[in-house]
Amino acid sequence: MRVVVEKRDTRSKRMAILIPLVSFIVSLMLGAIVLIASKSNPLQAYGAMLNGAFGNARRFQYTIVESLPLLMCGLGVGIAFRLKFWNIGAEGQYVWGAIGITWVMQFWRFLPVPMLLPVGLAVGMTLGALWAGVPGFLKAQWSVDETLTTLMLNYVAIGLAEYLYINKWKAPLGNMGTPEFPREAWLPQIWGKVHAGIFIALALVVLLWFLLYKTRWGFELNMIGKNPKAARYQGVSIKRNIVLAMILSGAICGLSGSVNTAAIAHRLTKGVNAGYGFTGIIIAWMSGLNPFASILVAVVMAALTTGADALQIAMKLPESMGEVLQGLVLIPLLAGSIFVEHKLKFIKKEAA
Amino acid sequence: MNRQTPQIPIVRMEHITKHFPGVLANDDVSLELYPGQVLALLGENGAGKSTLMNMLVGLYRPDSGTIHIRGELAEIHSPQDSMALGIDMIHQEFMLVGNMSVAENIVLGLRDLPLVPKLDEIKARITELSKRYGLQVDPDAIIHDLSVGEQQRVEILKLVYRGADILILDEPTAVLTPGESRDLNNILKKMLSEGKSAIFITHKMDEVIEFSHKVQVLRRGKTVNTCDTKDVTPRDLANMMVGRDVLFSLDRCPFNPGGIKLKVDHVTVDNPLGSRPLLDDVSLEIHRGEIVGIAGVAGNGQTQLTEAITGLLRCNKGTIAIDGRDMTNATPLQVIKAGVSHIPADRGAMGVVGDMSVGENLAMKKYRTEEISRGAVIKKTFMRAFADKLIKAFTIKTPDQDTCVKFLSGGNIQKTILAREIDSCGGVLIAVYPSRGLDVGATEAVRQNLISQRDKGNAVLLVSEELEELQMVADKIAVMFEGKIMGLRNVKETNTEELGMMMAGAGSVRREA
Ligand SMILES: Nc1ncnc2c1ncn2[C@@H]1O[C@H](COP(=O)(O)OP(=O)(O)OP(=O)(O)O)[C@@H](O)[C@H]1O
Ligand SMILES: [Mg+2]
């Protein structure tokens, strides 16, 4: 008997749903092996994680709050990914959003207080957009590789943020972080810990879905992503659209940074680069660039984080175990995507 | 034609059935190929020819039915399996890796390749084979620097190199010039004289008559006829394929050209890689209600001319005007908005987006108009109605408009492009090898369509390698050679000999004669 990988004649919708599901189960089993090896009961551990992520209203709220920046960054990078533009700079764009809103809150005091929040969000969004527009422009104009530029720009943005909250914009008291935003300008909480950012995130999901699937621009992005040569021949400007898509992508990631800062830390401080932008890449990828699917993926990824915290407390497992389990989710899922297009075939060798 | 003594067929396919979602591509098809013979496999676009052959090389698996090779039951799961059985195929769509060299492509996928292949030996062998078969190919050339014709030569060389003795050729001459086709055909004859057998898919009836011993005709996935080639005429074959009489006549209004629609004036396009410019001081005028044909051996600047007009290639000198308005180096979108439609030479790489649906591909030119959109929003209902209309008008064979274009048969992909471009034509139609890969019926339809556009008062530029086609369809013929226009002739006032000499580079034939 031998096993061969055969290309599927056609791609089926059912497989596209079934395969991620099976992959998820496989990753749970892999996780179980790791857990057993570190002498814990996997069922108990998963139970603790589930409980930690969704066990009561407060934990559930916390998971939702965690999922919002992931969702927004996922939506943001997803737009660039449609063009096969590998924007891995969401982290930096997110940080710029946080810097932008802090700048407004701290220095634009000529504004009436109720205006601080909307203007701050807009400025954060704009800075994120500009920061992303640069690698977009470099790629469009001189074909500068975007993976490199977007990645490097992350570190510039993070370095700048550190300089600001440790040094330049530091509050007089305390050793790190800018002064707290005026309380009236915080993004309000609407259900326990869940803040109004959830409306912004969900509105973005609907908006992007409409933009990508219903408009001429969405149609053009789809063409460019799937065959740039054909798109150009049909009169679609590739350069212009790369820049536009990157600007939109960065605007959303930037907005995500401003929203989160206005809702949670209420100032620029350590932890602003929490990795939402990087996890956003995974969200975009696993959701197949579908905005609605991103919601589900973002919640699952957030639950893995919040659940891992519980794991640490309830099971006395090291903190890194949570990260190990998160990693284990990804591998089978990415490997699984191969089987959307290919299948395994078992062939019985006949006696010759 | 050597008579074969009764013997076991080298390939026997029995009761093969193959479904795809929404299509029965092969319906209980049986086929036999005898050693040393050539079987021509014919049928309309989408009849199931490529599908049937892909099952012999392990790209698809039959739903039911059996395959015997040299009398033994064969389970073919992959191209490697088929190669081990001595079967090799030239595919309708190229299967070369664009950024690798000719030599690398030729040995790619060979089973007994050592971990570190001895490229020098391989190259020596390639050079030797290309001499023996008269196939000029530079083993170090990178695939995407080669023209379509040269790429096809690489495919043939690959076939020769691998040394299979059952050859499957899926429309190998569709992308070749008549000259190149003749070369290929000679190579094929040589290989047959070495004892190989072949299955040959083509839409060109003269090739069928010249080459094959037997003919098998498919229609809608079923075998409708199998016979000896010597018993049939091209006309019979066309009838069998389509199931009715094919009329080889075209309706056209008398030639009555209007004002100048498209004017190309002393256009030069430099060649970034070589010395000879791609286009060398080209001037051409096309009037309303006129078809100007461009003849010439492929690679003499025809594609570049069409791309310069459509804004895909920058002109270094000269001007291009449409309706007297300067369109030199306009963007592709500006050219489209000026009413220019373009059927490109390279249908897979440029003509369609394979991963998008038939409906979306049909809408790719008109999605900007009121017919499909309201403002920035695409109206799905409008788009669906529009696509259904074109699918019907151009008899595109597809299960439904939501199927990805890449799953259509080669000819139906071409029809999708034709439908979109002909329908959206707003004054100028540029058609490059429009009948490539089409069956006899569809070829007639396209030619008639080009003529109807002319009769409507549009200006048509038709690039073709078949003089016969140009003489049938065009009003005037210009010949291109090495990036230059060698001359423009009225179809009625020229003949094949004169055009042929101009294609070979002789400029002022007429004056000397
Ligand atoms: N992978 C696939 N998935 C779905 N349908 C397919 C696939 N391959 C082929 N088909 C369908 O099967 C039918 C037969 O296609 P095939 O490519 O065999 O036609 P053909 O005879 O080679 O035509 P042509 O002369 O145009 O090349 C077509 O209707 C086509 O749409
Ligand atoms: Mg075919």
Side-chain angles (χ1 to χ4, degrees), chain B residues 257-429:
Chain B
I260 296 176
K261 179 79 193 176
L262 172 70
K263 187 175 165 81
V264 178
D265 203 13
H266 297 290
V267 164
T268 296
V269 173
D270 294 336
N271 184 351
L273 300 174
S275 49
R276 176 171 70 75
L278 295 169
L279 286 182
D280 190 354
D281 196 28
V282 169
S283 297
L284 189 69
E285 281 172 5
I286 308 181
H287 295 78
R288 293 192 180 81
E290 171 179 81
I291 301 181
V292 173
I294 303 274
V297 178
N300 276 292
Q302 299 94 318
T303 324
Q304 283 79 10
L305 175 61
T306 59
E307 293 195 348
I309 297 172
T310 48
L312 295 168
L313 193 66
R314 275 195 75 79
C315 312
N316 299 96
K317 265 187 237 133
T319 58
I320 294 169
I322 295 170
D323 285 325
R325 258 184 51 222
D326 181 40
M327 297 294 284
T328 320
N329 292 329
T331 64
L333 184 59
Q334 288 168 329
V335 177
I336 290 171
K337 292 213 161 135
V340 179
S341 279
H342 176 199
I343 297 158
D346 198 343
R347 71 175 169 229
M350 200 191 254
V352 288
V353 180
D355 283 317
M356 288 173 79
S357 72
V358 176
E360 288 172 318
N361 270 281
L362 286 169
M364 267 173 202
K365 196 137 255 153
K366 280 220 173 147
Y367 72 94
R368 301 180 180 93
T369 65
E370 283 283 298
E371 211 170 329
I372 291 174
S373 294
R374 285 288 173 273
V377 179
I378 290 181
K379 291 277 179 198
K380 275 271 150 62
T381 44
F382 292 4
M383 188 157 124
R384 297 194 73 83
F386 172 78
D388 279 332
K389 187 185 81 186
L390 289 195
I391 289 172
K392 215 162 150 218
F394 286 81
T395 57
I396 299 169
K397 200 172 166 240
T398 172
D400 53 44
Q401 59 160 288
D402 301 307
T403 306
C404 277
V405 158
K406 68 173 177 196
F407 293 134
L408 297 193
S409 81
N412 283 295
I413 294 178
Q414 179 71 358
K415 284 191 194 175
T416 306
I417 301 172
L418 291 167
R420 179 185 67 215
E421 299 302 322
I422 291 176
D423 169 80
S424 65
C425 176
V428 180
L429 177 62

Side-chain angles (χ1 to χ4, degrees), chain B residues 168-213:
Chain B
I168 302 168
L169 306 151
D170 194 350
E171 298 190 36
T173 56
V175 296
L176 298 182
T177 62
E180 287 173 324
S181 302
R182 253 190 318 277
D183 293 345
L184 168 66
N185 293 345
N186 288 333
I187 292 163
L188 213 64
K189 278 189 184 141
K190 203 163 200 164
M191 292 172 80
L192 293 172
S193 71
E194 290 167 2
K196 301 182 192 268
S197 332
I199 301 177
F200 195 87
I201 301 178
T202 183
H203 292 294
K204 299 178 184 171
M205 292 311 134
D206 43 343
E207 287 178 352
V208 176
I209 302 287
E210 188 183 343
F211 270 108
S212 63
H213 304 93

Side-chain angles (χ1 to χ4, degrees), chain B residues 44-51 54 89 91-93 170-171 201 203 347 408-412 437:
Chain B
E44 288 180 289
N45 294 130
K49 309 177 292 290
S50 301
T51 305
N54 280 332
M89 173 161 176
H91 291 269
Q92 194 170 8
E93 306 298 333
D170 194 350
E171 298 190 36
I201 301 178
H203 292 294
R347 71 175 169 229
L408 297 193
S409 81
N412 283 295

Side-chain angles (χ1 to χ4, degrees), chain B residues 104-143:
Chain B
E104 286 166 332
N105 264 285
I106 287 178
V107 295
L108 203 71
L110 280 186
R111 237 194 188 173
D112 46 2
L113 202 63
L115 200 59
V116 185
K118 296 196 186 82
L119 263 183
D120 283 338
E121 279 174 30
I122 293 166
K123 275 191 234 165
R125 172 106 200 277
I126 292 174
T127 316
E128 185 236 302
L129 284 174
S130 56
K131 276 216 197 81
R132 188 156 115 222
Y133 289 97
L135 279 162
Q136 279 171 21
V137 180
D138 169 13
D140 289 317
I142 302 296
I143 295 298

